[in-house]
Amino acid sequence: MALSSLIPSRVKLIDVGPRDGLQNEKAPVPAAVKIELVQRLQDAGVKEIEVTSFVSPKWVPQMGDNAEVMAGMRRSPGVLYSVLTPNMKGLESALGSRPDEIVVFGAASESFSQKNINCSIAESIERFAPVVEAALAAGIKVRGALSCALGCPYEGDIAPEKVGELARLMKQIGVQRVDVADTIGTGTPRKAQAAIEATLRHFSIDEVSGHFHDTYGQALSNTLAALEMGVWNFQASVAGLGGCPYAKGATGNVSTEDVVYMLHGMGIETGIDLDKLVDAGKFISDFLGRKPNSRVATAILNKRAG
């Protein structure tokens, strides 16, 4: 019971739908649709949006229109726009688009690091160091994703110490805040708390966010476990966009609508209009030709239809 006093009264959500949600879509999503999605998210009151990534279009063709999307969106005051930059080339390409924040990503699992970015954890940090330094020098904020923090498709469970070590390395190169990410969605509440606790040895509570995938239906439970520790920043994806590449047919990102509904039901403010958020999710789902992967959106849309 003592933990409940740490639950924040306000939460800020980062919607990763335009980037993390759409990057694995096979059919191209036109820049105009991505721009409209960003617009609808900010109209709904989302204050942090992960817009795109500056990676080689050879690896992620869906993000090949990154500069066009950044140039075409109408920026809203008070909204933070972030982009993923995996290397120096990515950062150099991103600078002209004036992102507010860049995101670098490391893995708490050595096997995942090798298979995902072809280098060890230590080498990945060495690669990021000049990227972080250059971004900070350009007045751009830097966030680091601690991927596979609660489990790895190759190694299984990940020890909290490994998460803490990755957080320490990120801190060392100047990363300002980090996401504790359950990339494959296998984590459960105690694991989430242990990973966050390890991260808090190197970053303050205001510098840590939760990024939970819903592959095994644990994302809301893990969000609640993080809230009980005082975490007030979370990532989610509108309409639950983004599957999980390591579990066939499984859902990936937790849907923003489901997180918002839970938070509002707990009396926690988000500044987000749930109805407008559902509309944003319906817009992109209609374009993709499928239903929103959100229980809350489904319930609200059914209610409206009735």
Side-chain angles (χ1 to χ4, degrees), residues 106-109 112 145-164 166 179-199 208-216 218-223 225-226 229 234:
S109 150
F112 190 85
L146 312 178
S147 59
C148 289
L150 308 189
C152 165
Y154 313 108
E155 293 181 17
D157 283 353
I158 292 293
E161 296 75 39
K162 286 188 173 181
V163 182
L166 179 59
D179 317 327
V180 175
D182 185 9
T183 312
I184 57 167
T186 55
T188 46
R190 289 273 170 87
K191 284 183 194 169
Q193 290 182 333
I196 291 165
E197 208 175 312
T199 306
V208 173
S209 66
H211 178 114
F212 303 120
H213 281 224
D214 204 33
T215 319
Y216 285 81
Q218 302 297 300
L220 289 177
S221 312
N222 292 338
T223 301
M229 297 177 79
F234 294 91

Side-chain angles (χ1 to χ4, degrees), residues 273-280 282 297-306:
D273 179 319
L274 182 55
D275 276 310
K276 285 186 177 175
L277 185 66
V278 168
D279 292 341
K282 186 178 183 325
T298 302
I300 289 174
L301 292 168
N302 286 345
K303 205 170 171 184
R304 286 181 189 173

